Amino acid sequence: MNDRLPYDDRDWTPPKHDVTAQLGVVKFKPDDTAHLEIKDEQVCRERCRRKFCTHSCPAQVYRWEEEEKSISIAFEGCLECGTCRNGGCPYDNITMRYPRGGFGVQYRFG
Amino acid sequence: MTPAAKADAAGQATPAPARFDAIVVGGGPAGLSAAYTLAAGGASVVVIERGDWPGSKNVMGGLVFSQPTSQVVPDFWKEAPLERPVTRREMWLTTGDSVLKAAYESTDFGAEPYNSFSVFRSRFDKWLAAQASAKGAVIITETLVEDLLWDGGKVIGVRTGRPDGDLEADVVILAEGVNPFLAEKAGMSQGVKAEAIAVAVKEVLALPKEKLEDRFSLGTDTGAAFEVVGEITGGIPGTGFIYTNRDTISIGVGVILKDMVDRAGAAYSLLERFKAQPQVRRLIDGAGRREYAAHLIPEGGYRSMPSLYGDGVLVAGDAAGMVNAVFSEGANLALLSGKMAAETVLQARGSGDYSRRTLGRYGDLVGRSIIMKDLKTFEGMTSLFSSHKHFFSLYPQLASAAVKEMLTVDSLTKADKMHLITKLARSQMPTRRLIKDLWDGWRAFS
Ligand SMILES: Cc1cc2nc3c(=O)[nH]c(=O)nc-3n(C[C@H](O)[C@H](O)[C@H](O)COP(=O)(O)OP(=O)(O)OC[C@H]3O[C@@H](n4cnc5c(N)ncnc54)[C@H](O)[C@@H]3O)c2cc1C
Ligand code: SF4
Ligand code: SF4
């Protein structure tokens, strides 16, 4: 995975853009079980200040919930790109699988 | 219903034999080209695809190149769902408010056998699957391959997510795309490295046909493709692209994942920035969003390639890192590698020997082909861009400032202007550094 962690001594700021409108035109067939998982919530809470996944995920699946002090996962809107398993979380703290066959994003153009 | 009875893209239920000569994982260009070639060569082959149809999970800019595609399906342009033949390509170097353009236009590209077409993968892959199916390949959709089946060190089949979903074959071709879960599990791939992968986001924007043709100066059967570098990616190594379709525009950006994360950047913010570039905004003004998509591109080239073959198993396409990052060509290499994998299997079938040694022929074929030659040529590019980030910010600025100075008519002589430009470049970057960059860039290309 990553040999070198990015500069991480700044606090989390929310993403500048919201992708709700973008996701609104995408067709999804959501499954009822999640295909994404945080491995260790303590790492998000205590080690990762910047909460990189909240920016790197193109679908804004990951959100930092300030009150709960944890990352919430809106897996229904996942575009199945794999960013979060390939360095999108520099702490390699996300397990990403593909959804079950026949579920998930369904591109009409692609 | 058994997965095999659920069957193929053409819709007929094909009764599946208990075992196949070959199983192909993934219905993208690599897998479908392999299946097409295998079926045409008389082998029994099944493609297993996780999406509802081949293409429903797939994303590209993008252009399908004519020459490699017709090596798999001759004269494909007569039938395939294509958007526009690309007759004009433009390279844009942008700063915040200006663009330096280089363009190439050819009427030749608009006539048979063409050079490239803009496509939508959701439609193109579906069509390609129907071609493979017409040759006799079985296409199983809505089925995720979760694991390989092993007998000692030899791959003998796959485990799917369906109940009783094991399938056996003499050989398994992994054409699973940029996230090679199975090749990683098999120890053939080390996975993709964040510094050698680009994350791309793309939108499809709709514009009435006449308006689109007017704006892009196109006829009904011509198309344009734009590669854009410069300030649009905010100094992160990457490119923007615009492709014209029949009555839509494909627009997107791809940036090196590692560099994006280092800056806690977001790909969609860069796309918004790209769309806000004045010269781009004019092209897409009033065009409504029809789709948003995200996908990774393996850009490590030659150095990040996994083992291509093992006992009873082959790896093709993006799963094997076969993308020419500089020209964002991957579908062509996927098609070619799928075909070579199939040819290797057809030959192994003659002797009934699917050992690593026999399948090694695939490695030789790839090694001698344009795939490896291209990958080797461009091997250094990704790391070069990553270590020379000013290629994406400072140089476009300097180039644009230089041209602006030359074009602005004022009281300075052209000689004075040249002097001014050199001074500007020197103030931004020591001469030694400039020369080193030129040298590094030249080396990466040659
Ligand atoms: C934004 C963008 C622009 C691009 N532009 C161009 C371009 O202009 N020209 C060009 O030639 N290339 C371009 N490329 C690259 C090109 O898209 C890829 O190189 C090409 O699609 C690779 O084909 P493939 O068959 O190897 O993989 P894919 O097309 O990714 O196909 C893999 C298939 O396997 C399926 N699959 C994966 N895992 C499983 C599993 N476990 N079980 C069942 N099914 C599975 C997937 O659903 C998918 O259908 C671009 C890529 C991107 C992202
Ligand atoms: S998942 Fe990774 S990137 Fe996201 S908050 Fe946790 S450690 Fe940070
Ligand atoms: S796969 Fe891509 S879209 Fe899905 S959660 Fe991971 S980064 Fe986000």
Side-chain angles (χ1 to χ4, degrees), chain A residues 38 43-44 48 51-54 64 71 88-91 93-94:
Chain A
I38 302 284
V43 174
C44 306
C48 176
K51 325 294 180 205
F52 295 90
C53 60
T54 64
W64 175 244
I71 293 284
C89 164
Y91 296 88
N93 196 28
I94 294 173

Side-chain angles (χ1 to χ4, degrees), chain A residues 35-36 56-59 61-62 77-85 96:
Chain A
H35 61 284
L36 308 165
S56 65
C57 166
V61 162
Y62 305 101
C78 169
L79 296 167
E80 301 164 32
C81 64
T83 299
C84 55
R85 77 184 284 268
M96 183 246 165

Side-chain angles (χ1 to χ4, degrees), chain B residues 216-227:
Chain B
F216 286 84
S217 318
L218 296 173
T220 45
D221 292 317
T222 58
F226 304 70
E227 306 304 325

Side-chain angles (χ1 to χ4, degrees), chain B residues 93 390-400 429 433-435 437-438:
Chain B
L93 208 59
H390 44 275
F391 277 9
F392 294 87
S393 49
L394 184 60
Y395 285 169
Q397 273 169 29
L398 285 177
S400 152
M429 174 80 56
R433 189 66 206 270
L434 267 168
I435 291 169
D437 281 353
L438 283 173

Side-chain angles (χ1 to χ4, degrees), chain A residues 2 4 6 17 22 26 29 55 58 60 80-81 85-86 96 98 101-103 105-110, chain B residues 50 52 56-59 120-123 179 184 192 194 202 258 262 268-269 290-292 294 296:
Chain A
N2 276 312
R4 180 175 59 86
H17 293 92
Q22 278 87 333
V26 182
K29 254 173 73 180
H55 300 274
Q60 290 180 346
E80 301 164 32
C81 64
R85 77 184 284 268
N86 291 305
M96 183 246 165
Y98 283 136
F103 288 97
V105 67
Q106 215 171 67
Y107 290 121
R108 288 160 302 133
F109 298 95
Chain B
R50 64 192 189 88
D52 275 28
S56 62
K57 301 284 186 187
N58 301 345
V59 179
F120 289 122
R121 288 287 301 279
S122 180
R123 299 169 187 173
N179 291 296
E184 283 172 28
V192 270
K202 169 188 170 180
K258 174 87 184 159
D262 274 352
Y268 44 79
S269 294
R290 285 296 142 83
E291 194 166 77
Y292 172 68
L296 298 181

Side-chain angles (χ1 to χ4, degrees), chain B residues 117-234:
Chain B
F117 296 91
S118 53
V119 300
F120 289 122
R121 288 287 301 279
S122 180
R123 299 169 187 173
F124 184 81
D125 292 8
K126 189 185 203 170
W127 173 84
L128 194 56
Q131 306 311 299
S133 161
K135 291 280 174 204
V138 176
I139 317 271
I140 301 176
T141 56
E142 294 173 72
T143 306
L144 182 70
V145 175
E146 295 183 343
D147 216 338
L148 294 174
L149 301 175
W150 296 84
D151 178 9
K154 184 181 181 317
V155 174
I156 56 160
V158 299
R159 170 149 298 161
T160 71
R162 290 177 179 270
D164 307 316
D166 288 3
L167 279 176
E168 294 194 1
D170 289 327
V171 64
V172 175
I173 299 177
L174 297 177
E176 52 186 331
V178 62
N179 291 296
F181 287 97
L182 300 168
E184 283 172 28
K185 263 192 182 172
M188 298 177 78
S189 165
Q190 309 306 312
V192 270
K193 287 221 155 45
E195 51 270 34
I197 198 160
V199 50
V201 291
K202 169 188 170 180
E203 288 183 359
V204 176
L205 307 173
L207 207 61
K209 193 168 174 290
E210 299 72 35
K211 205 169 201 168
L212 184 146
E213 286 166 358
D214 199 38
R215 242 181 232 183
F216 286 84
S217 318
L218 296 173
T220 45
D221 292 317
T222 58
F226 304 70
E227 306 304 325
V228 186
V229 294
E231 216 165 50
I232 55 145
T233 53

